[in-house]
Amino acid sequence: MKKERSVVGWHVLPLFGKEGEGEILKSPCIPLCLRGIIIFIALAFSCALATAEIPHLGYVYPAGGKQGTTFELITGGKYLKGALSANVMGEKVFAQVIGNINPEDILPEEKPAKNKLDKAEKGKKGKKKKLKDAQFPDAVKLKVIIMEGAEPGDRELRLITAAGLSNKLTFQVGMLNEMNETEPNNRREQADEITSLPLLINGRIMPGDVDVFHLTARRGQSLVIKADVRKLMPYLADAVPGWFQASMALYDKKGNELAHADNFLFNQEPVLLYDITENGEYYAEIRDSIYRGREDFVYRVSIGELPFVTRISPICGRFETPIKVSLFGRNLPVKTLDVYSEDRERPIQFLRLGKEEPVLNNVPFGFTDIPQVDKNGVAGTRENPQVVVLPVSINGTIDAPGEKDYFSFEGKESQQVIIEVTARRLGSPLDSIIAVYNSAGEKLAENDDGPTYKWDGVITHHADSELAVKIPKGGVYRVCISDVQGKGGEEYAYRLRISRPLPDFALYSVPPNINLPRGGTGSFMIHVQRKDGFDGPVRLALKNTSGGLRLDSAVVPRW
């Protein structure tokens, strides 16, 4: 059962910790990293903080760029007038404020009319539609410099005004050549030309918009088209569904649909995979699934014969133990990776193919200190389960639709046992359900979806199961795991932990940012998310007090 307790204090972000310990990193006017999350304290600003509105970013376009390039981008939002500077997390990426611009003057990039139909449409439309929305009354133009050798991947971009520091938005550093879409490109006759692959396309969708791109491909190519959408803007508070639900399709020259994608497994970021069978011309398109659109419906689409991992095996290993991980997917330069980690602060880490390979999908991989075993082929039946010794972490797969895997263990009277599935958190589509039976075949407990943990990010369906069981008497007990919808296949992998409770906790704050005037104070809620029965106090401390910071109410009491 999830438990939370909050305390008024300074700023903390998601953090795994040990019993009785907690820590907050702080320093005036500089970003500090806590488990990969940036914390900012804006003490250098004047007392204008107390009266002015805090800046809020609603979008950034384009939302990234290639290593070794310099370009301009636009950020839109509220209370951005008089922006002083911009900050991009990490090294070798710099952003400079050029100045505020009038949103009414922002026009979509437009290509010249190619034919009479295009000219007629322009005549009907008259003046070009301006990109303006009540959600984004302000806009700021930035100059961005991405140096050669900048680490590829996601960064955090923020603006600073006299009123303080804005929220963060995702900014990506890429390795591919890039282009921005140009309007109109709603039909095949208007399609943007892709002259060479691979390529990354920056674009955004307006109401009713469809963006079409023309490319040439040859027989034998394994084409990967991947959209980054929710990575850029995880949630849209005033939209249903609450995010840009991208839909992509690939057509041949005659207009026949060859492939379609609006997701990948359980992830709402679509990935289209298609093996080209004929030399020729093709058209790729992207739109919102229900034809919504706005300035913040921003996308970055990678297209080409690019490496993409569809699954790995195993999905978990032990700390301080070399592990050979098998890779499956498209256009992969290697078939295995040697994995090793001693970093117990990160029980889930991300595998990367290599520094020279474009980053399309860094795959999550789990680590544990619990002894591991692999499922023995098709795990035993209810009458003849696979025997395991506690504590144990089992790497398994629901290999076929309708399959149920059974494991048995020796339980002691009054023993507390935690049974936890990690699947969705490691990229598996498994929607698990677990059940515990005694030696007589009686079901003691069952669980479909376990607690929703705040550190699970943008997973919209928290489908990993979890049970806490007190063994009523000594004997043999069986655990069954399956997919609640009866699905299965080689990608339906899982890690099944059966062990004593391993008390743990995570911290998060509301709000995630705090802006303070010099000599002022602030308060917000620190929430403790407790796991495996952890009920102890959590003491919070400032890492750096040199800037005159003081922390009050620094203990979250015992539950």
Side-chain angles (χ1 to χ4, degrees):
M1 185 69 180
K2 179 181 70 174
K3 298 179 180 180
E4 296 184 3
R5 178 70 66 88
S6 59
V7 62
V8 176
W10 292 76
H11 187 57
V12 177
L13 287 176
L15 166 67
F16 285 95
K18 298 178 181 179
E19 183 170 353
E21 296 180 357
E23 188 174 86
I24 311 172
L25 301 182
K26 281 293 175 288
S27 180
C29 303
I30 53 175
L32 290 166
C33 186
L34 178 60
R35 307 288 166 84
I37 310 288
I38 296 298
I39 299 174
F40 290 83
I41 294 295
L43 290 183
F45 299 118
S46 70
C47 60
L49 284 167
T51 57
E53 297 283 1
I54 301 301
H56 179 81
L57 292 180
Y59 69 87
V60 54
Y61 179 76
K66 182 187 177 183
Q67 296 163 321
T69 61
T70 299
F71 56 96
E72 294 180 355
L73 60 78
I74 294 173
T75 62
K78 291 183 177 181
Y79 315 119
L80 306 182
K81 292 179 179 178
L84 302 174
S85 61
N87 179 278
V88 179
M89 183 185 74
E91 299 178 345
K92 297 186 177 182
V93 182
F94 307 95
Q96 177 185 354
V97 172
I98 296 176
N100 283 88
I101 55 178
N102 188 343
E104 293 188 1
D105 295 333
I106 303 175
L107 301 174
E109 294 185 56
E110 187 166 300
K111 62 170 69 71
K114 293 182 178 179
N115 51 48
K116 292 182 179 180
L117 180 59
D118 285 351
K119 292 178 180 178
E121 284 190 356
K122 280 191 173 185
K124 289 179 182 179
K125 292 178 182 178
K127 194 175 182 179
K128 292 182 287 186
K129 183 177 180 180
K130 296 179 179 182
L131 302 182
K132 183 183 179 183
D133 190 280
Q135 296 290 330
F136 317 112
D138 301 325
V140 177
K141 182 178 289 188
L142 304 180
K143 178 181 178 180
V144 176
I145 301 172
I146 304 177
M147 298 177 63
E148 292 284 0
E151 183 70 19
D154 294 349
R155 308 288 185 99
E156 294 175 2
L157 182 148
R158 300 174 189 254
L159 284 186
I160 300 171
T161 72
L165 196 73
S166 76
N167 59 303
K168 66 180 181 181
L169 285 183
T170 298
F171 179 87
Q172 296 184 332
V173 176
M175 301 174 68
L176 301 177
N177 290 329
E178 300 195 9
M179 66 171 276
N180 295 344
E181 62 136 339
T182 54
E183 296 287 349
N185 58 351
N186 287 32
R187 305 190 317 271
R188 287 190 295 156
E189 296 84 1
Q190 304 168 323
D192 282 333
E193 292 290 340
I194 297 177
T195 57
S196 64
L197 296 176
L199 183 71
L200 190 146
I201 305 168
N202 291 293
R204 56 180 165 186
I205 298 295
M206 300 303 287
D209 195 10
V210 179
D211 289 347
V212 183
F213 304 91
H214 174 253
L215 64 139
T216 301
R218 64 181 185 276
R219 181 179 179 179
Q221 283 186 307
S222 184
L223 204 61
V224 175
I225 308 177
K226 180 182 182 294
D228 282 343
V229 176
R230 288 200 71 197
K231 287 180 71 176
L232 307 177
M233 185 64 65
Y235 294 104
L236 303 172
D238 57 348
V240 179
W243 53 83
F244 172 12
Q245 182 62 67
S247 176
M248 300 194 304
L250 182 70
Y251 298 88
D252 64 16
K253 186 177 181 180
K254 297 179 180 180
N256 300 309
E257 184 179 289
L258 304 175
H260 173 268
D262 57 13
N263 58 36
F264 178 71
L265 300 178
F266 63 91
N267 193 328
Q268 284 80 28
E269 305 268 36
V271 180
L272 191 153
L273 307 174
Y274 186 75
D275 293 327
I276 301 295
T277 57
E278 295 182 7
N279 296 339
E281 299 176 46
Y282 296 85
Y283 294 89
E285 75 169 32
I286 181 171
R287 60 176 175 84
D288 180 72
S289 61
I290 53 177
Y291 294 94
R292 301 167 303 163
R294 199 169 58 185
E295 293 97 314
D296 53 349
F297 281 55
V298 175
Y299 64 80
R300 283 169 61 82
V301 170
S302 302
I303 179 169
E305 280 192 291
L306 295 164
F308 185 81
V309 179
T310 56
R311 68 181 181 94
I312 63 173
S313 180
I315 62 172
C316 181
R318 291 192 74 180
F319 285 112
E320 300 186 29
T321 302
I323 309 152
K324 188 169 288 292
V325 178
S326 297
L327 308 177
F328 304 87
R330 301 295 182 98
N331 310 312
L332 301 182
V334 294
K335 294 183 178 180
T336 61
L337 284 180
D338 293 321
V339 177
Y340 180 87
S341 178
E342 299 178 0
D343 186 1
R344 286 174 171 78
E345 298 296 315
R346 297 189 299 146
I348 295 179
Q349 301 177 28
F350 290 85
L351 308 184
R352 183 174 170 187
L353 296 180
K355 290 186 176 181
E356 303 304 318
E357 298 296 332
V359 180
L360 281 197
N361 63 324
N362 289 338
V363 182
F365 186 83
F367 287 93
T368 181
D369 278 314
I370 298 175
Q372 288 218 140
V373 300
D374 293 330
K375 167 185 161 182
N376 292 335
V378 178
T381 63
R382 181 170 179 171
E383 293 73 25
N384 188 26
Q386 178 177 334
V387 179
V388 295
V389 177
L390 305 192
V392 66
S393 175
I394 305 164
N395 269 311
T397 304
I398 301 299
D399 296 294
E403 179 181 299
K404 295 184 177 181
D405 292 348
Y406 287 87
F407 304 91
S408 69
F409 66 92
E410 190 76 28
K412 300 178 181 179
E413 184 174 348
S414 298
Q415 182 182 14
Q416 294 285 344
V417 176
I418 301 294
I419 305 167
E420 180 188 21
V421 177
T422 309
R424 287 288 173 97
R425 288 168 285 177
L426 295 177
S428 168
L430 179 69
D431 184 356
S432 63
I433 183 170
I434 53 176
V436 183
Y437 300 87
N438 62 18
S439 57
E442 300 169 327
K443 185 187 293 183
L444 302 183
E446 184 179 67
N447 179 260
D448 177 6
D449 298 337
T452 298
Y453 294 112
K454 297 296 182 183
W455 53 80
D456 289 346
V458 297
I459 298 177
T460 52
H461 180 194
H462 298 261
D464 289 345
S465 310
E466 186 173 335
L467 274 175
V469 178
K470 184 176 181 180
I471 302 298
K473 64 178 181 179
V476 175
Y477 291 81
R478 283 172 288 120
V479 175
C480 174
I481 177 173
S482 61
D483 184 88
V484 73
Q485 301 179 60
K487 296 181 179 181
E490 57 188 9
E491 68 270 25
Y492 284 73
Y494 61 82
R495 177 182 73 182
L496 179 63
R497 170 174 71 101
I498 311 175
S499 73
R500 64 174 177 80
L502 302 174
D504 203 352
F505 69 92
L507 307 180
Y508 65 98
S509 69
V510 179
N513 284 355
I514 184 169
N515 283 281
L516 300 175
R518 185 183 298 276
T521 62
S523 65
F524 52 95
M525 305 297 289
I526 300 298
H527 296 264
V528 177
Q529 191 139 31
R530 302 170 185 271
K531 182 176 174 64
D532 279 18
F534 171 69
D535 62 358
V538 178
R539 297 175 179 85
L540 308 175
L542 293 175
K543 183 75 172 183
N544 185 346
T545 59
S546 61
L549 300 175
R550 187 183 77 248
L551 178 67
D552 296 326
S553 302
V555 177
V556 182
R558 183 181 298 274
W559 184 260

